[in-house]
Amino acid sequence: MDDPYQNNINQQGEAYPTYGEGGQYTYPYQTDFPPQEEEDAASDATEGHDEDDQMYEGEYQGIPHPDEIKEARRAARREARMKARMAAEVEEETLPDQYESIMEDCGHGRFQWTLFTVLGLALMADGVECFVVSFALPSAEKDMCLSNADKGMLGLIVYVGMMVGAVLWGGLADKLGRRQCLLYALAINCIFSFLSCFAQGYGFFIFFRLCSGIGIGGSIPVVYTYFAEFLQMDKRGEHLSWLCLFWMLGGLFASFTAWGIIPHYGWGFSMGTEFQFHSWRVFVLVCFLPSVAALAGLVFMPESPRFLLETARHDEAWMILKQVHDTNWRAKGEPERVFQVSQIKIPQTQDDEFIEIQSETGTAFQRFMVRHMTLVKQVMKNLMSLAAPDLRLHGLFIAIVWFTMAFSYYGLGAWFPDQIKYLQFEEYESNVKIFHREKVERFHFNFTLQNQVHKEGEYIHDRFINIEIRNVKFEESLFENCYFEDVRSTDTFFENCTLKNTVFYNTDLWEDSKFINCKLENTTFLHPKKGCHLNFQEENDILIYLVSFLGCLSVVPGNIIAGLLMDKIGRLKIIGGSMLGSAGCTFFLLLCFSQWAVILFQCLFFAASAAAWNGIEVITVELYPASKRATAFGVLNGTCKLAAIISTFVFGKFIGITKIIPIILSFSALVCGGLLAFKLPETREVILQ
């Protein structure tokens, strides 16, 4: 049978003309009808067959059936849609994967270590802030005549400020930039820490410390987010753990400087009786130096390129990545290595163009309002997005772990020094001297009276000049024709006493506060001392500074272990094992009946819990995408400070009553948090999204 496609030759052998011969057309002409013989042959071949059994005659010529063509087209469309979806998924994953490859190409070297030092100073400032008020409080309460309620508020106000600051700066860091927000936060901390040194009144002092806490509250969430975005995956866990050491250095710095400065009363000055600058204010002034150093160093650091890519600032990100690459390889002796990245994928931004146009038009006030209201809406939207279905469950788990860890750590951190003070007080009370019905006449008291109780005594024509009276109580006693001059007192009271013809000159024995249900006959108070006055031997026990110093120092082994094992055994085992180990340490506190036993188990508790803090902070950075990372960290760190406020308040109520409840609460919280930590996803080999 002749080839049906070659029918451009007629039956006589003459060739039909084709399009393009000698001209512009090259497509061959084909007749519409096959030769008659072939048509007859086809009829003979199919004769006797049913219509349904007839074969599509195009099959003889290799031409597909129209139904097959339609099905092939449907399959092609399905395959095209599948490829489009796969391409979209690949497009979404391109930026994190490419960014990780770029960081591996940049290497880990001088740039990261420089940034590590600068950000470490910011963490150190956060550690100092947590200790500065507790160390200064014993002296500040005397200097500013604080009541017990005022002391409690001053102790908690720093945590309130840090809680607000963590949420505020964390949310802003995802919109304004990591470096910019950290600069603002540290600047606020420096300004208000400096002002608090000179505040003479309680109201101004507590306001300045609140603002200082709001500033430094942004340190932890922004620092970890910022540093993690300059680290490649296999270095991230280890170096974020080393960064935690600076928080411990902040505690060591605060306790060491408090030990060296506060007890020295002469390290200060005064301007009359209204302005006093005692040594505890010098200590507060020195404690803002790490924040100043971090602020100065951060000025020379670049913005996070990951944040710049999220905000479609491609060129700035490329320049910073090139700077990181060149700095590291130049320091390693390979300056000839070239940064080979020429194009970086950037995510699609969702900025409202109408808002952008509005922010550039109108009056200055309108532009200001549009920009800032838009910023507030974006931050709130980002906060709400943390409750999205894909983040909700893991977010709840990590929040519970943060809360339980902070509840136990900060609660016991405040309980240990208070418990030691209570044990000291019990020992002190056991040595009190009691004088009953003594009669002293025409005697000159020129020595210190300390830890005494005088009941039903008689003091006639006695002189109390230039002495100190500490923890002395006079009950139902008679003072007649006595003279008190230049007397300094601490926890000294007259109760149900009778005073006749007695003069108080230049003393702090005030009529309205030191005399309880007393009968005063012809008694005068001349030139009373204004304000409360310090007793540095009593209020600045060296043991308390030593306890804090040892507690911070004990964190070192836990940090080292966490740094070495974080990328080897994973985050979950570090967190869970550390929290359960800390729970064991709290349980044995029930067996502590002496000061040194409490100090020993405090050091063990801090050493065991250090690794958990490292793991929690590392996994928090890795759980969330770049657009929500600082916001989520800020919310979780704010949860941590809320737990600190609650536990510090609750545990303080049981000092001197029972130690069982604080220990059981801490033990239960740590066990629950440690077990729940194993339900979190392991992020050891996960690229930052």
Side-chain angles (χ1 to χ4, degrees):
M1 183 176 179
D2 295 334
D3 187 354
Y5 294 95
Q6 303 296 328
N7 51 9
N8 57 336
I9 301 177
N10 61 13
Q11 294 178 358
Q12 285 76 25
E14 297 177 356
Y16 290 104
T18 60
Y19 290 99
E21 286 184 339
Q24 65 192 98
Y25 300 106
T26 58
Y27 298 101
Y29 172 76
Q30 188 175 20
T31 59
D32 293 334
F33 302 98
Q36 185 64 36
E37 292 85 358
E38 293 183 5
E39 183 176 356
D40 295 341
S43 299
D44 294 337
T46 58
E47 187 176 359
H49 290 270
D50 294 336
E51 185 177 355
D52 295 338
D53 294 336
Q54 288 183 358
M55 184 177 294
Y56 170 59
E57 64 179 319
E59 288 188 31
Y60 290 111
Q61 303 174 356
I63 299 175
H65 193 277
D67 293 339
E68 295 179 3
I69 295 175
K70 292 179 181 179
E71 182 61 30
R73 288 175 179 172
R74 293 192 193 100
R77 284 195 295 270
R78 286 195 299 269
E79 184 177 359
R81 285 194 296 268
M82 184 177 298
K83 288 182 178 180
R85 285 195 298 267
M86 293 176 62
E89 293 176 0
V90 171
E91 183 71 18
E92 290 177 1
E93 298 175 355
T94 297
L95 177 58
D97 293 337
Q98 186 185 21
Y99 190 81
E100 179 66 25
S101 301
I102 293 172
M103 293 313 303
E104 290 177 357
D105 183 54
C106 291
H108 189 92
R110 175 178 292 177
F111 181 88
Q112 280 84 359
W113 286 113
T114 304
L115 184 63
F116 173 84
T117 304
V118 173
L119 297 181
L121 288 171
L123 274 187
M124 185 176 174
D126 183 272
V128 170
E129 191 75 15
C130 291
F131 288 94
V132 63
V133 170
S134 62
F135 286 148
L137 187 57
S139 300
E141 66 173 296
K142 299 297 181 183
D143 203 8
M144 293 187 287
C145 304
L146 302 183
S147 64
N148 290 332
D150 291 339
K151 288 189 295 183
M153 178 59 69
L154 186 57
L156 294 177
I157 198 65
V158 174
Y159 288 126
V160 173
M162 295 173 80
M163 178 180 67
V164 174
V167 178
L168 173 66
W169 298 116
L172 290 175
D174 280 330
K175 298 302 176 183
L176 298 180
R178 284 69 161 119
R179 174 182 174 272
Q180 185 175 355
C181 284
L182 191 56
L183 281 171
Y184 291 157
L186 291 174
I188 291 174
N189 175 251
C190 290
I191 292 170
F192 287 101
S193 293
F194 180 78
L195 292 176
S196 68
C197 302
F198 301 94
Q200 297 297 301
Y202 170 74
F204 279 111
F205 185 77
I206 197 172
F207 173 74
F208 290 149
R209 294 315 304 183
L210 172 66
C211 295
S212 173
I214 291 174
I216 202 62
S219 174
I220 289 181
V222 179
V223 161
Y224 281 99
T225 302
Y226 189 15
F227 191 51
E229 292 173 347
F230 282 98
L231 297 174
Q232 59 203 64
M233 183 175 62
D234 59 339
K235 301 284 187 182
R236 196 167 57 232
E238 178 185 355
H239 287 82
L240 287 175
S241 296
W242 296 137
L243 192 64
C244 296
L245 283 169
F246 280 92
W247 197 93
M248 174 270 301
L249 290 178
L252 291 177
F253 176 82
S255 56
F256 185 77
T257 52
W259 191 353
I261 294 176
I262 294 180
H264 296 279
Y265 183 81
W267 290 17
F269 61 91
S270 61
M271 298 173 62
T273 59
E274 298 297 330
F275 185 86
Q276 304 287 333
F277 196 87
H278 295 135
S279 57
W280 70 268
R281 297 181 184 273
V282 178
F283 163 70
V284 175
L285 183 63
V286 170
C287 282
F288 94 116
L289 294 180
S291 186
V292 173
L295 184 63
L298 194 62
V299 172
F300 301 98
M301 294 291 105
E303 180 57 86
S304 165
R306 189 71 177 85
F307 166 77
L308 295 175
L309 291 174
E310 286 293 324
T311 53
R313 293 155 68 179
H314 175 276
D315 294 339
E316 294 177 61
W318 187 88
M319 291 297 293
I320 293 171
L321 290 170
K322 184 177 185 302
Q323 175 188 350
V324 175
H325 177 277
D326 294 346
T327 301
N328 287 340
W329 290 111
R330 193 181 302 114
K332 294 177 181 179
E334 300 183 40
E336 68 280 359
R337 293 194 61 156
V338 179
F339 185 58
Q340 298 179 350
V341 177
S342 59
Q343 186 176 2
I344 306 176
K345 292 288 184 181
I346 57 176
Q348 295 293 326
T349 59
Q350 298 179 351
D351 292 336
D352 191 338
E353 295 182 1
F354 180 70
I355 295 295
E356 291 296 321
I357 294 172
Q358 277 193 322
S359 65
E360 298 297 333
T361 59
T363 65
F365 178 75
Q366 289 175 334
R367 293 196 299 269
F368 175 86
M369 292 301 298
V370 168
R371 288 170 180 164
H372 287 80
M373 290 303 298
T374 303
L375 178 62
V376 171
K377 291 178 182 178
Q378 290 174 342
V379 171
M380 294 303 299
K381 182 180 178 181
N382 219 23
L383 281 171
M384 296 299 103
S385 68
L386 297 179
D390 56 333
L391 300 174
R392 187 182 304 153
L393 184 61
H394 292 156
L396 177 62
F397 286 173
I398 191 65
I400 295 174
V401 173
W402 268 93
F403 187 91
T404 53
M405 186 65 205
F407 182 86
S408 301
Y409 185 88
Y410 287 101
L412 288 179
W415 182 83
F416 284 129
D418 288 342
Q419 182 68 13
I420 292 171
K421 284 183 179 180
Y422 177 72
L423 294 174
Q424 287 180 322
F425 177 74
E426 281 190 327
E427 183 180 354
Y428 186 78
E429 287 249 310
S430 65
N431 297 323
V432 66
K433 296 179 181 180
I434 300 177
F435 299 87
H436 190 66
R437 292 185 177 179
E438 65 173 351
K439 185 174 182 179
V440 182
E441 190 172 355
R442 298 186 184 277
F443 186 79
H444 184 187
F445 289 88
N446 57 1
F447 50 86
T448 298
L449 302 178
Q450 179 177 354
N451 197 22
Q452 299 174 1
V453 175
H454 298 264
K455 297 182 177 181
E456 300 180 6
E458 294 184 10
Y459 305 91
I460 302 173
H461 292 287
D462 293 327
R463 297 171 65 85
F464 301 81
I465 299 177
N466 195 23
I467 66 171
E468 185 174 358
I469 307 177
R470 297 200 306 245
N471 298 94
V472 176
K473 189 175 183 181
F474 296 95
E475 297 180 357
E476 299 178 353
S477 299
L478 171 65
F479 292 85
E480 187 174 353
N481 295 315
C482 293
Y483 182 76
F484 292 80
E485 181 180 350
D486 199 16
V487 175
R488 301 177 305 279
S489 66
T490 302
D491 293 329
T492 297
F493 301 96
F494 297 79
E495 186 174 352
N496 297 320
C497 295
T498 300
L499 292 87
K500 299 179 180 180
N501 303 317
T502 299
V503 176
F504 292 87
Y505 181 85
N506 193 30
T507 71
D508 59 4
L509 299 172
W510 303 301
E511 180 180 1
D512 54 349
S513 59
K514 299 291 186 178
F515 299 89
I516 304 171
N517 298 325
C518 292
K519 185 178 181 181
L520 305 179
E521 298 179 3
N522 196 24
T523 299
T524 57
F525 296 85
L526 302 175
H527 303 287
K529 292 183 178 180
K530 294 182 179 180
C532 301
H533 299 276
L534 304 182
N535 181 353
F536 285 92
Q537 289 77 21
E538 178 72 18
E539 300 301 333
N540 298 285
D541 192 345
I542 299 300
L543 181 61
I544 298 302
Y545 302 136
L546 180 61
V547 167
S548 299
F549 185 87
L550 292 176
C552 294
L553 196 62
S554 63
V555 172
V556 176
N559 271 312
I560 293 175
I561 292 173
L564 295 176
L565 299 181
M566 188 68 70
D567 288 322
K568 292 182 174 60
I569 67 174
R571 286 68 163 133
L572 304 188
K573 293 179 180 178
I574 289 285
I575 299 172
S578 177
M579 292 185 73
L580 294 177
S582 302
C585 293
T586 61
F587 184 77
F588 285 105
L589 285 172
L590 293 171
L591 306 177
C592 296
F593 299 99
S594 67
Q595 299 178 37
W596 290 106
V598 174
I599 294 173
L600 173 63
F601 279 98
Q602 170 194 302
C603 294
L604 291 176
F605 173 77
F606 285 153
S609 59
W613 278 122
N614 291 16
I616 289 171
E617 285 156 349
V618 171
I619 200 172
T620 301
V621 168
E622 297 170 335
L623 272 179
Y624 291 92
S627 60
K628 299 176 177 63
R629 186 170 297 130
T631 301
F633 208 127
V635 171
L636 293 171
N637 195 248
T639 304
C640 163
K641 296 304 185 289
L642 176 62
I645 294 170
I646 296 173
S647 61
T648 302
F649 177 78
V650 172
F651 286 22
K653 294 297 182 181
F654 293 100
I655 295 295
I657 299 176
T658 179
K659 63 181 179 181
I660 295 177
I661 294 179
I663 291 173
I664 290 178
L665 288 175
S666 299
F667 177 81
S668 303
L670 287 169
V671 170
C672 293
L675 294 177
L676 187 61
F678 290 106
K679 296 295 184 180
L680 293 170
E682 180 58 73
T683 57
R684 178 175 42 170
E685 298 179 354
V686 174
I687 295 174
L688 286 182
Q689 297 300 314

